[in-house]
Amino acid sequence: MDWEVIFRNAILAGISREAAVYAIAAVGLNVHFGYTGLLNFGQVGFMSISAYGVGISITQYGAPVWLAFIIGLLAAVFLALLLGVPTLRLRADYLAIVTIAASEIIRLTFRSVALTDWSGGSNGINGFADGFYVWNPFDPSVAYGFGSVKVFGNQAYIIIVGWTLAVLVTLLVWLLMRSPWGRVLKSIREDEDAARALGKNAYWYKMQSLILGGVLGGLAGIVLSVGQSTVQPDVYSPPVTFFIWTALILGGVGRIWSPIFGAVAFWMILSLANNVLDQATQAGIVPAAVTAGVRGGSIRFMIVGLGLMLLMAFRPQGVFGDRNEMMLADR
Amino acid sequence: MTTTDHPGRIPTDGIEAVPGSSKPDPILEVDTMVRQFGGLRAVDVEHLEIQRHWITALIGPNGAGKTTFFNLLTGFDTPNEGAVEFNGEAMPRRISPNKLARQGMVRTFQLTKSLTRLPVIENMKLGVKEQRGERFLPALIKPLWNEQEESIEERADKLLVRFKMDHMRDEFAGTLSGGQRKLLEMARSLMTDPELVMLDEPTAGVNPALTQSLLQHVTGLRDEGMTIIFVEHDMDVVHEIADWVVVMAEGKIIAEGTPDAISKNEAVVDAYLGSHHDSDLTFDDEGDVIRGDEGQPVHDEPDVVHDDEREVAHDDERDVAHDHRADDAHNEDGATT
Amino acid sequence: MNTMTADRGASKWSWRHRLLLLLLLTVTLGSLQIPAMAQDEGPELGFQGTFTNPEGEDGPTPVEGVRVEVTDADGAVVGEAVSDAEGAWTVEVTDTGEYTVTVDVESFPDDASLRNPDEPSRTLTVNPGQVRPVLFPIGEGPGPGADSGFDLRLVLQLFVEGIKLGLLIAMMAIGLSLVFGTTQLVNFAHGELISIGAVIAYFFNVTIGMHLILAAILAIIATAGASALMDLGIFRPLRKRGVGLIAQLVITIGLSLFLRYGLLYVFRGDPRSYGNYNIQRGIEIGPIVLPPKDIWSVLISIIVLVGVGLVLQRTKIGRAMRAVSDNRDLAESSGIDVQRVILIVWAVGGGLAAFGGILWGLGESVSWIMGFRLLLPIFAGVILGGIGTAYGALVGSLVVGVFIQMSTLVIPSELKNAAAMVALILILVVRPQGILGRSERVG
């Protein structure tokens, strides 16, 4: 077992663009669930609709990069309105069901044969991200980093952009949550009827929250698609939402920095598990059949599922949360 | 009872003690309000006027429709028909609670709705209407709302002192006892500068010592010029603070009058005796109903909707009961379940 | 999401094939990367595509040797390609712009043809940095009568298939509604009970070699047991500890993920069929054609649904279930063992989910993801009918089933489930309480 490789990969995973993407999306989910109590089980739908918004507006309509980004984020606003209008007056479970359904609809629609000319079917859209790499200060052929932890120029660029955005949106949410606006959101999380009895338009605040968190999800999707230089429908499949949920809960729901901690921790743990399993298989400690083919991949989903259950049951406050505060939540 | 009467408070003499009697200066007027659940008329009020600056008690046996009526008045439920005038202004049949609250009608809940994971002081500050920092963009820039926030905090602190809760200022509201939560909810509702305060069983489950201070606060509010309606089971409490009593049974208003007159009213006595054996209002006994320890209901505290449900369930109308359940679930924990 | 029901067209296999390939890619790509982000080392500008015959002898098969020609706007041939053993082809072009891609219809092998032979070419634009995917559906040509626009026979056929699907959805939805009714918990792992039932039946039927009927009975019992174990091992302790409903809901999501990929681990990705009743000749009933297994499926679902209705109405345990749903505290105080009732609800719901899963697997195929795919239509049916109304769930499920099938008249079959979801959202706007729900539940 090569522990150096295992740990190097874990560190790379922790700082990877995927971790940054998850952090941004988890900030959005934190606005939804952590501060407002909204159950969004379709965050990946927001990611995908924005990524496609960017991809399609560049490849189909030749939009400049900045405009494409705005269109992408507006697509997330649109989705939030579409999902919020019918459901935010109803019990929270309705939003949960409708969001998970919507994320699947979006995936199926974008990958559909009927729309191939527009959204590229199951192959998705390629080659729209060039305009973004124009500003890349790094040399794509040079590896940057410390010691053996190195990434190539384009990666370094997207990692820096991704994490900068993650920190910026975290600060944005921090500004909002210390304000009376954030107080209304939290009051809705605790008891919507109490907020309404005090004259707060809970519906409208929930809508604002859904839009804000959705736009952050959209931003995450854009970063991911630009980083991959492609947007493919099946990258944005339902389990991604639950990965992000796990990252958020790992960090601690309803806390400012937890999405970032959670995303880093999530990817490091996943990488450790994967690499240890790989190495163990290679070293013959684990029989090859255990991880052969589709099995190796499914193990990681199982780990996430199990982790999500155990976290929620035994440490719902996450690694950094306050157990006492969590215990007060009487629902 | 009180020494510093508000000048607008008129005596009860000369007001006719009949259901739907007219009052000289009503803050709230209700006309033909009907709420049906399936085949059951949970609320069927022909006419009711609530006199300004009075404390009006709303009493009645279990299942009389008191809480449903409260919900209808405060916009938490929509009547099948009926009109409400508040301060002489007609309210639309379908109106959201927040709109009514902004017009000066604030309510508390039978099952207290304290915001458990917010500190007491934040609970209080939430009550203030029209805060600049509650809008999305200004919220980002602290100087725009900081000054207002400080004055709100000052006011909240004063109220907390008055309610003797200043020592709990920074505790999470979830750590308070049931009685303290009732107090907090009342104090918080005052932060909205209400004209009409509607309290749903303010003393249910509150220990006797705290009940006394709570009642003093209620009369204090009246003396400051507010109008109060409260749902109550305990006749002693009604006698102690109410100026006027409205009695409901089976959704209808069956009597109105002063506390003294009401306790001698035969229709009222009949209504109570004729209702379920588990009626918890008695005229001879203490009549206190303490639910759970220190006001913490052990289970779902049976509220009026539940009671309706029992009646209906007895009648084997399962479908109706089912809907109540759903309705109930929505009202109580629906927002987040 | 085409797995819903008997597809009439050819797309049934093609999407599944593609999905599976992607999923395989997804999960085997392994380590650190978000699924399927491997990038082609191919050309920078051009066209690419894959010819797959969804109706090949052994499921979807690549079509080799098909010639593709690309001409520019002036009609000059700029490139051509022949599909390889995987059915894939690529044509590189040197510049962006508009091109016409034409398939040589003559070059198809005997067992495959363009689904629409009248449209062998596409005119498409290549954008900067783009390798444009081009899709030519392959399969039988349009059948007789397809030109007539409105085909009454097809409408009837789809309607009946929709009823069949709706009845299955209703049967599988019972567990979800009952668990929700008694505990207020929305169980996102319910779909996995469906898959587990179908997979266990497959194990007994194909791996061990029992007759399907026996295998089904054992699978239903086993799934009911597994479902009861979920309550006993996970949710009852959570209730006891006072864990909130939302936390429990997130736990059902984790459980669903764990079970689903656990199934992928043991069952692998490819859809499989049971060993009995596999190939049946359709029986003509008036204008429609149904294989006997579909007729049985309809009959069995009706019997099960009526049976459940009778149990709920007439038996002691049924009354107890309704009492717990109506008012848990009241039920408890009147001497009903609420925890036991909830346990039975889980077991019965799991058994019915398994039953539905087996019937569905019989009509379609058994796969690890089938339950998750079915979960959304089930939710749609339950919500459409109005949560908490027993007959509403039945009506809602039937509406969803018929809607899903009939929608293929106007939209591509691959989008029919998406259409059902869109309809669900629309109905929530207009009538949030569902078709049969009463208005007062919405605040």
Side-chain angles (χ1 to χ4, degrees):
Chain A
M1 301 256 279
D2 187 346
W3 287 100
E4 199 204 316
V5 170
I6 290 173
F7 283 114
R8 186 181 66 216
N9 284 343
I11 292 168
L12 276 170
I15 62 162
S16 66
R17 64 164 185 237
E18 277 74 23
V21 164
Y22 274 42
I24 299 170
V27 173
L29 215 49
N30 204 20
V31 171
H32 288 159
F33 181 62
Y35 292 107
T36 327
L38 300 178
L39 291 174
N40 171 12
F41 287 134
Q43 185 70 329
V44 74
F46 289 97
M47 295 170 67
S48 127
I49 204 167
S50 287
Y52 269 98
V54 172
I56 290 172
S57 50
I58 290 179
T59 55
Q60 295 285 333
Y61 305 103
V65 172
W66 62 270
L67 182 63
F69 283 4
I70 290 174
I71 291 172
L73 294 179
L74 284 180
V77 174
F78 169 76
L79 180 62
L81 287 170
L82 188 73
L83 301 183
V85 167
T87 57
L88 288 182
R89 289 188 202 280
L90 311 177
R91 283 176 50 128
D93 343 36
Y94 282 88
L95 182 67
I97 293 166
V98 168
T99 45
I100 195 176
S103 69
E104 209 26 22
I105 296 172
I106 290 167
R107 188 178 73 88
L108 290 173
T109 308
F110 281 137
R111 83 193 301 287
S112 72
V113 175
L115 296 176
T116 302
D117 289 349
W118 193 61
S119 56
S122 55
N123 289 321
I125 304 172
N126 302 305
F128 56 86
D130 299 351
F132 174 79
Y133 287 98
V134 168
W135 301 306
N136 182 5
F138 301 105
D139 185 342
S141 57
V142 175
Y144 297 85
F146 315 93
S148 61
V149 180
K150 276 192 195 314
V151 292
F152 283 101
N154 278 352
Q155 278 286 352
Y157 176 46
I158 195 78
I159 283 173
I160 286 172
V161 170
W163 283 111
T164 307
L165 283 172
V167 171
L168 283 179
V169 298
T170 302
L171 289 174
L172 174 83
V173 169
W174 174 74
L175 281 175
L176 285 168
M177 291 312 157
R178 66 169 187 170
S179 77
W181 187 85
R183 183 161 61 219
V184 177
L185 249 50
K186 287 180 235 170
S187 77
I188 290 169
R189 172 191 72 194
E190 296 302 311
D191 195 316
E192 187 180 339
D193 281 341
R196 297 163 87 202
L198 294 171
K200 314 300 175 198
N201 187 344
Y203 177 69
W204 173 232
Y205 279 99
K206 286 200 282 185
M207 187 67 85
Q208 292 180 56
S209 165
L210 189 65
I211 292 172
L212 174 64
V215 165
L216 295 180
L219 185 63
I222 293 175
V223 172
L224 180 62
S225 65
V226 165
Q228 297 183 342
S229 295
T230 173
V231 44
Q232 288 176 328
D234 298 301
V235 170
Y236 301 87
S237 59
V240 174
T241 299
F242 306 134
F243 282 16
I244 298 167
W245 267 86
T246 310
L248 175 64
I249 293 169
L250 200 62
V253 175
R255 309 184 73 81
I256 286 293
W257 294 100
S258 63
I260 288 183
F261 285 126
V264 173
F266 175 83
W267 280 98
M268 290 185 78
I269 292 170
L270 211 56
S271 162
L272 280 174
N274 268 319
N275 280 287
V276 168
L277 205 62
D278 275 0
Q279 296 266 345
T281 313
Q282 277 169 28
I285 302 168
V286 173
V290 172
T291 56
V294 75
R295 293 187 158 173
S298 48
I299 287 176
R300 76 195 222 148
F301 287 87
M302 292 168 71
I303 292 172
V304 173
L306 199 60
L308 190 58
M309 287 168 70
L310 293 175
L311 264 176
M312 214 56 209
F314 297 109
R315 214 176 154 75
Q317 75 276 27
V319 179
F320 304 99
D322 174 356
R323 176 144 191 103
N324 292 330
E325 183 181 342
M326 190 54 78
M327 293 305 283
L328 291 176
D330 47 12
R331 282 188 295 272
Chain B
M1 263 182 300
T2 52
T3 48
T4 52
D5 262 6
H6 188 271
R9 181 185 172 211
I10 58 156
T12 54
D13 322 336
I15 309 282
E16 219 185 342
V18 294
S21 72
S22 78
K23 318 272 183 328
D25 180 18
I27 188 172
L28 192 71
E29 263 187 81
V30 183
D31 257 312
T32 57
M33 180 173 274
V34 177
R35 180 70 173 102
Q36 279 186 307
F37 295 117
L40 180 93
R41 288 200 158 203
V43 168
D44 184 0
V45 171
E46 267 180 37
H47 188 79
L48 178 67
E49 294 180 13
I50 302 293
Q51 172 65 20
R52 198 185 299 273
H53 303 307
W54 278 3
I55 296 179
T56 304
L58 182 62
I59 66 167
N62 276 341
K66 303 182 297 285
T67 292
T68 310
F69 188 42
F70 243 54
N71 286 342
L72 294 172
L73 292 179
T74 50
F76 279 90
D77 194 359
T78 307
N80 298 89
E81 53 180 288
V84 175
E85 270 187 29
F86 180 56
N87 267 331
E89 204 181 313
M91 299 287 125
R93 186 173 65 92
R94 195 179 283 274
I95 185 167
S96 57
N98 37 293
K99 279 194 186 134
L100 282 170
R102 281 202 291 271
Q103 299 205 19
M105 184 196 285
V106 74
R107 74 168 290 180
T108 66
F109 294 86
Q110 186 184 11
L111 294 164
T112 45
K113 296 194 180 295
S114 42
L115 310 168
T116 47
R117 278 180 296 167
L118 287 183
V120 168
I121 184 72
E122 293 291 306
N123 262 271
M124 295 291 289
K125 280 148 76 178
L126 181 73
V128 177
K129 296 184 284 193
E130 312 289 333
Q131 300 184 34
R132 258 171 248 136
E134 287 183 353
R135 300 169 67 91
F136 183 81
L137 287 177
L140 289 166
I141 306 158
K142 196 172 180 186
L144 289 180
W145 47 265
N146 197 32
E147 202 179 319
Q148 189 191 23
E149 177 83 357
E150 278 168 9
S151 76
I152 290 171
E153 189 160 328
E154 206 173 308
R155 229 182 100 202
D157 275 324
K158 275 187 194 151
L159 258 180
L160 283 178
V161 171
R162 177 172 150 193
F163 277 75
K164 299 198 177 60
M165 296 185 71
D166 45 322
H167 62 289
M168 327 247 346
R169 185 184 188 277
D170 298 315
E171 308 277 327
F172 283 125
T175 61
L176 304 190
S177 73
Q180 287 169 326
R181 287 185 197 207
K182 291 259 179 196
L183 270 179
L184 171 62
E185 205 179 345
M186 196 190 291
R188 189 178 65 195
S189 65
L190 296 185
M191 293 291 288
T192 66
D193 290 318
E195 284 185 64
L196 175 61
V197 183
M198 307 185 55
L199 308 170
D200 197 351
E201 300 207 23
T203 62
V206 180
N207 71 41
L210 212 49
T211 298
Q212 273 314 311
S213 96
L214 218 143
L215 295 182
Q216 276 168 18
H217 288 305
V218 175
T219 50
L221 301 183
R222 174 188 62 193
D223 298 339
E224 284 171 28
M226 286 170 228
T227 309
I228 289 128
I229 310 178
F230 73 112
V231 172
E232 188 51 74
H233 275 289
D234 184 344
M235 240 359 229
D236 287 340
V237 169
V238 173
H239 266 287
E240 194 174 335
I241 63 167
D243 297 301
W244 196 257
V245 182
V246 174
V247 188
M248 280 183 85
E250 291 171 359
K252 292 182 169 25
I253 290 178
I254 57 161
E256 273 191 51
T258 59
D260 285 337
I262 285 298
S263 50
K264 293 179 191 109
N265 186 318
E266 270 181 41
V268 176
V269 177
D270 281 353
Y272 274 91
L273 295 180
S275 74
H276 296 278
H277 60 279
D278 61 348
S279 161
D280 45 8
L281 187 143
T282 51
F283 292 94
D284 307 316
D285 301 346
E286 288 294 309
D288 287 19
V289 185
I290 303 292
R291 288 166 182 163
D293 213 8
E294 192 50 36
Q296 277 307 340
V298 187
H299 307 294
D300 242 2
E301 206 170 342
D303 70 350
V304 175
V305 183
H306 274 288
D307 294 340
D308 287 344
E309 198 175 313
R310 280 183 203 183
E311 288 176 5
V312 175
H314 287 214
D315 293 337
D316 245 18
E317 283 189 39
R318 291 285 174 182
D319 281 355
V320 182
H322 222 124
D323 279 337
H324 279 282
R325 171 85 189 167
D327 191 36
D328 211 5
H330 175 75
N331 280 341
E332 277 171 29
D333 47 20
T336 33
T337 37
Chain C
M1 277 228 316
N2 259 347
T3 48
M4 281 306 312
T5 158
D7 271 312
R8 80 202 132 101
S11 61
K12 169 173 148 193
W13 283 107
S14 62
W15 83 267
R16 194 180 276 161
H17 186 65
R18 267 180 284 130
L19 180 75
L20 270 165
L21 274 179
L22 273 158
L23 277 163
L24 283 167
L25 192 64
T26 296
V27 286
T28 42
L29 257 179
S31 313
L32 288 176
Q33 304 191 318
I34 288 195
M37 49 196 236
Q39 286 176 28
D40 289 329
E41 295 293 327
E44 293 188 344
L45 282 179
F47 296 94
Q48 63 181 31
T50 307
F51 291 111
T52 307
N53 180 10
E55 293 170 340
E57 297 266 297
D58 314 305
T61 40
V63 183
E64 190 180 353
V66 179
R67 219 172 61 83
V68 180
E69 196 176 79
V70 176
T71 49
D72 65 12
D74 303 327
V77 176
V78 291
E80 58 175 42
V82 174
S83 63
D84 61 18
E86 268 84 53
W89 58 269
T90 315
V91 175
E92 194 168 358
V93 296
T94 47
D95 209 352
T96 57
E98 201 173 82
Y99 295 91
T100 303
V101 184
T102 310
V103 175
D104 182 358
V105 186
E106 304 296 316
S107 64
F108 273 100
D110 292 343
D111 58 349
S113 65
L114 223 46
R115 204 189 306 169
N116 194 346
D118 303 336
E119 283 183 24
S121 58
R122 300 274 154 83
T123 302
L124 300 163
T125 307
V126 175
N127 294 304
Q130 188 184 32
V131 178
R132 186 96 196 224
V134 189
L135 199 133
F136 290 99
I138 290 173
E140 288 172 23
D147 303 329
S148 63
F150 184 78
D151 181 351
L152 187 65
R153 190 199 61 79
L154 182 60
V155 171
L156 270 175
Q157 177 83 29
L158 288 176
F159 181 78
V160 172
E161 283 175 11
I163 295 284
K164 176 198 141 204
L165 173 64
L167 286 168
L168 276 184
I169 291 178
M171 183 161 137
M172 296 187 275
I174 291 171
L176 192 79
S177 328
L178 281 179
V179 167
F180 179 82
T182 47
T183 62
Q184 304 285 299
L185 175 68
V186 176
N187 178 17
F188 277 84
H190 189 73
E192 275 54 53
L193 291 170
I194 296 169
S195 315
I196 288 175
V199 167
I200 294 179
Y202 179 89
F203 170 78
F204 283 129
N205 176 235
V206 176
T207 314
I208 293 189
M210 290 179 186
H211 190 271
L212 182 59
I213 293 178
L214 185 59
I217 293 170
L218 289 177
I220 291 167
I221 294 170
T223 313
S227 183
L229 271 181
M230 282 182 202
D231 185 49
L232 271 183
I234 302 173
F235 294 100
R236 183 187 283 191
L238 290 176
R239 284 196 300 273
K240 235 171 220 159
R241 281 173 42 201
V243 172
L245 275 173
I246 288 186
Q248 288 187 41
L249 193 152
V250 176
I251 288 170
T252 67
I253 293 231
L255 181 62
S256 147
L257 209 56
F258 178 77
L259 292 175
R260 197 178 333 143
Y261 286 92
L263 279 174
L264 177 62
Y265 188 95
V266 295
F267 194 67
R268 307 294 172 90
D270 48 324
R272 304 182 214 177
S273 301
Y274 290 121
N276 304 91
Y277 312 114
N278 216 351
I279 298 155
Q280 291 183 329
R281 183 177 289 275
I283 298 174
E284 283 185 40
I285 309 165
I288 58 169
V289 181
L290 283 180
K293 61 184 177 186
D294 281 7
I295 299 168
W296 280 111
S297 168
V298 169
L299 289 177
I300 292 171
S301 333
I302 292 175
I303 292 168
V304 168
L305 287 169
V306 170
V308 170
L310 285 177
V311 167
L312 282 176
Q313 292 292 336
R314 299 282 167 80
T315 64
K316 201 175 156 200
I317 182 67
R319 279 196 293 270
M321 283 177 193
R322 286 192 300 143
V324 175
S325 295
D326 280 350
N327 186 332
R328 192 159 143 189
D329 296 325
L330 190 64
E332 194 146 40
S333 60
S334 55
I336 293 174
D337 184 348
V338 171
Q339 296 305 327
R340 186 171 151 267
V341 169
I342 292 174
L343 182 67
I344 293 171
V345 159
W346 272 87
V348 170
L352 289 173
F355 203 162
I358 295 165
L359 285 177
W360 194 83
L362 188 61
E364 295 290 304
S365 59
V366 182
S367 79
W368 64 286
I369 193 99
M370 59 188 272
F372 180 71
R373 301 242 173 276
L374 282 163
L375 189 64
L376 295 180
I378 290 173
F379 276 144
V382 171
I383 292 179
L384 215 55
I387 288 186
T389 54
Y391 299 105
L394 175 60
V395 174
S397 301
L398 286 174
V399 170
V400 168
V402 172
F403 184 89
I404 288 176
Q405 288 298 6
M406 304 277 276
S407 70
T408 58
L409 286 169
V410 280
I411 57 165
S413 170
E414 60 185 345
L415 285 178
K416 61 184 179 183
N417 288 333
M421 296 297 126
V422 173
L424 167 68
I425 293 176
L426 288 180
I427 285 191
L428 281 179
V429 179
V430 186
R431 209 176 148 75
Q433 68 274 27
I435 299 171
L436 293 191
R438 287 174 210 269
S439 60
E440 46 260 28
R441 76 169 310 286
V442 180

